[in-house]
Amino acid sequence: MWVANGLGSTVSRVDPGTDAVAATIPAGDGPDALAIASGSVWVADRFASSLTRISGGRNSTASTIPVGGGPVALAAAGGDVWVAAGGA
């Protein structure tokens, strides 16, 4: 299970069997929304106007992609990630 810590600028992986935090990964300035696709966790960051890809197997940031307008929501299907931006 993954949780966006919007005020903490991180994303945490939680073990659902124990409810313990297994990893905490830096994820920009304000992670708001998460989506899972193609073995990665995608994080919308409205403050940095970016999309961050976290490698689920390595618990580390793999890449950051600028997307204008402050993304606030994500959806994933068929290997694609869709971003809804509030200001663009």
Side-chain angles (χ1 to χ4, degrees):
M1 174 171 41
W2 293 87
V3 178
N5 307 310
L7 296 176
S9 301
T10 61
V11 172
S12 294
R13 184 170 59 87
V14 177
D15 181 333
T18 64
D19 292 334
V21 174
T24 299
I25 300 108
D29 297 329
D32 283 323
L34 304 173
I36 309 294
S38 302
S40 296
V41 178
W42 296 87
V43 183
D45 183 340
R46 65 185 162 120
F47 295 129
S49 295
S50 65
L51 183 63
T52 299
R53 183 173 68 88
I54 295 173
S55 172
R58 294 187 306 179
N59 294 324
S60 62
T61 300
S63 61
T64 300
I65 303 163
V67 295
V72 293
L74 299 174
D80 295 325
V81 178
W82 297 85
V83 180

